[in-house]
Amino acid sequence: MRTPGRWWRHKSTPEKVETYTRWSFHFFAVMEFFSVGLTSVPPLGARLGSAVMLVVTVHATLCFVTVSRAIDWTRGRRPQPAALLWTLAAVTAAIAAAAIGLAELGPEGERVDTAAGGVFGVILVFGPGIIALGVRDRRRAFGIAGGFAAGTWIVAFALGAPALTALFTALIVLVGGMFITFTAVFSVWLMNAVFELDEARETRARLAVAEERLRFGRDLHDVMGRNLAVIALKSELAVQLAQRGRPEAVTQMVEVQRLAQESQREVREVVRGYREADLGSELAGAQGVLSAAGIDCTVNGVPAAGLPAAVQSALGWVVREAATNALRHGDARRCAVRLRVLEGRVVLSVENDGVSEAGTESGAGPSGSGLAGLRERLAEIDGTLEAGPAGQGLFRLTAEIPLPSRSAPSDAVPAAVAVRSVSEVTS
């Protein structure tokens, strides 16, 4: 069973903003019922008060439904609820006019006037604001609030209220309606802006993936282009020599065979990434990719440039695999990378709060075997790799590699490099 807190944490930021906006305006409808509907029964009596409460309940229900339909329309999930908006406007106007009539022509008494005035004010303030959620044009949304204020003055004056009293009442309705309308317009704008930013991050992530594919394509072209051209020329030469019965054709075909084997080896190196990797570049690249996924990343440790090339290459793959797993297998929001040199060994730890990453042993990674492939890489230079939950929803990946004795510093160097960024990628 999912607890409310877990349900909320598993929502994305745009979904959280939408939920907050939706229930904020739902709360207006609930507040309308409890503030003026339920409280109208004591001053107006059981019969009249119950009727007023029923009317307010109908209006609050319409507001509740309109909020859901209007926000769904804003997000493109359903057509604009035009009929519902007109219905809400008509019911709002009718209840407001009835409230004025009750105050002017109904039973005498201050309590009756107070109850009628409360119903009138709340209905005319909340109604236009809720309607504004379903209107795309901002000027039209504010015009609706202004129209209700003007109608208030006309109806109040027609039912016998003094001109100044009617004007003051209309002014109160205008200010309150404009405030709620502004709240609705701003909330919709903010919600849409958050969704657009999230879509922009996803686009940026896709572009990053496309750029990496182009880079891989260029590397593969650089490796294979020259060799294939030479193979084609030597094969053509071997054919011509063979047609003439020249023994040199065998030599040329042996050379073609050697080039083909060399090309095969180079392609494997490109695909498996056996070329030397720079740890500093991998740290910067991992930070950039994580920044596209909205993960807050910190990198602390000794400068990577002082480490042997073989160690840098192995740890570079550890960083790449850890970043890939954090993006693909978990729901991380924070990631911390720490590089230390202690007692003749270098220790790299990558820790994130992606609780679902415990199953990444079978995840894809370099050489197609995820963490198992990393262990094979590290084993070639007597390194070790540990991965698993670290408590409190954390997942930790730790690689340890011994350093040559002449390269190991006597003391651990404290953190000197710190990088902080916010990024979402979809692989």
Side-chain angles (χ1 to χ4, degrees):
M1 181 177 180
R2 299 178 63 181
T3 62
R6 188 176 181 184
W7 165 80
W8 177 259
R9 287 194 301 271
H10 278 72
K11 283 182 173 291
S12 64
T13 298
E15 290 173 343
K16 289 179 180 178
V17 173
E18 179 184 347
T19 302
Y20 174 79
T21 303
R22 186 184 299 272
W23 284 102
S24 294
F25 284 93
H26 281 165
F27 177 73
F28 286 158
V30 175
M31 188 169 60
E32 175 183 313
F33 170 77
F34 283 101
S35 63
V36 296
L38 201 60
T39 58
S40 298
V41 177
L44 298 179
R47 185 175 180 180
L48 183 58
S50 298
V52 171
M53 184 178 67
L54 178 61
V55 170
V56 172
T57 301
V58 171
H59 187 268
T61 303
L62 275 175
C63 289
F64 200 95
V65 175
T66 302
V67 168
S68 294
R69 300 291 179 85
I71 292 180
D72 287 343
W73 165 72
T74 300
R75 296 305 314 140
R77 302 189 186 107
R78 64 170 68 241
Q80 184 182 23
L84 188 60
L85 295 176
W86 280 108
T87 302
L88 178 59
V91 171
T92 300
I95 295 176
I100 294 179
L102 179 63
E104 296 293 334
L105 307 175
E108 297 290 339
E110 183 178 352
R111 299 180 67 186
V112 174
D113 293 342
T114 302
V119 172
F120 170 80
V122 171
I123 292 294
L124 278 187
V125 168
F126 287 171
I130 299 300
I131 294 173
L133 290 173
V135 178
R136 198 178 300 278
D137 190 345
R138 298 176 184 176
R139 290 177 296 181
R140 184 176 298 177
F142 288 109
I144 292 172
F148 274 101
T152 298
W153 184 87
I154 295 173
V155 173
F157 185 74
L159 292 177
L164 289 178
T165 302
L167 182 60
F168 180 73
T169 303
L171 183 61
I172 294 176
V173 171
L174 179 63
V175 173
M178 285 292 185
F179 176 76
I180 300 298
T181 299
F182 171 79
T183 302
V185 171
F186 178 77
S187 298
V188 169
W189 172 83
L190 180 62
M191 181 179 63
N192 289 333
V194 171
F195 272 96
E196 289 173 2
L197 287 174
D198 187 67
E199 292 172 0
R201 281 196 295 267
E202 291 180 358
T203 301
R204 179 182 175 185
R206 288 193 293 269
L207 290 176
V209 173
E211 183 178 355
E212 180 65 16
R213 289 172 177 170
L214 289 175
R215 185 199 63 79
F216 177 81
R218 289 193 299 268
D219 289 350
L220 192 61
H221 176 270
D222 293 341
V223 169
M224 293 297 297
R226 178 186 63 84
N227 288 353
L228 288 177
V230 175
I231 288 174
L233 290 174
K234 286 187 173 292
S235 299
E236 182 179 356
L237 177 59
V239 170
Q240 294 179 359
L241 291 174
Q243 289 175 346
R244 298 174 185 177
R246 302 280 297 274
E248 292 87 346
V250 176
T251 303
Q252 295 298 325
M253 289 308 299
V254 170
E255 182 66 14
V256 168
Q257 183 182 24
R258 185 191 67 80
L259 287 172
Q261 293 173 345
E262 179 69 16
S263 299
Q264 187 179 30
R265 183 187 63 81
E266 292 180 351
V267 169
R268 285 174 181 159
E269 291 180 355
V270 172
V271 173
R272 299 182 63 185
Y274 268 65
R275 294 170 298 171
E276 292 296 329
D278 180 70
L279 179 56
S281 299
E282 292 297 334
L283 288 171
Q287 179 205 353
V289 172
L290 292 176
S291 67
I295 299 177
D296 190 17
C297 180
T298 57
V299 180
N300 299 278
V302 299
L307 300 175
V311 174
Q312 285 199 47
S313 179
L315 293 181
W317 278 112
V318 173
V319 171
R320 181 178 296 186
E321 176 68 12
T324 301
N325 287 342
L327 293 169
R328 183 179 299 171
H329 304 291
D331 188 21
R333 289 295 177 265
R334 293 182 301 277
C335 182
V337 182
R338 189 179 183 188
L339 181 65
R340 296 171 293 166
V341 177
L342 300 170
E343 300 178 355
R345 68 186 190 279
V346 58
V347 179
L348 174 71
S349 62
V350 184
E351 187 176 278
N352 66 74
D353 57 354
V355 294
S356 65
E357 198 173 326
T360 57
E361 283 289 342
S362 60
S367 75
S369 56
L371 300 181
L374 285 181
R375 289 191 173 95
E376 294 177 1
R377 288 178 181 275
L378 295 176
E380 294 177 359
I381 53 176
D382 298 326
T384 59
L385 181 72
E386 294 181 0
Q392 298 180 350
L394 299 177
F395 183 88
R396 183 180 299 149
L397 186 70
T398 303
E400 183 175 327
I401 301 175
L403 291 172
S405 58
R406 59 187 179 87
S407 301
S410 58
D411 298 313
V413 181
V417 180
V419 183
R420 189 174 182 85
S421 176
V422 179
S423 78
E424 215 171 246
V425 106
T426 50
S427 297

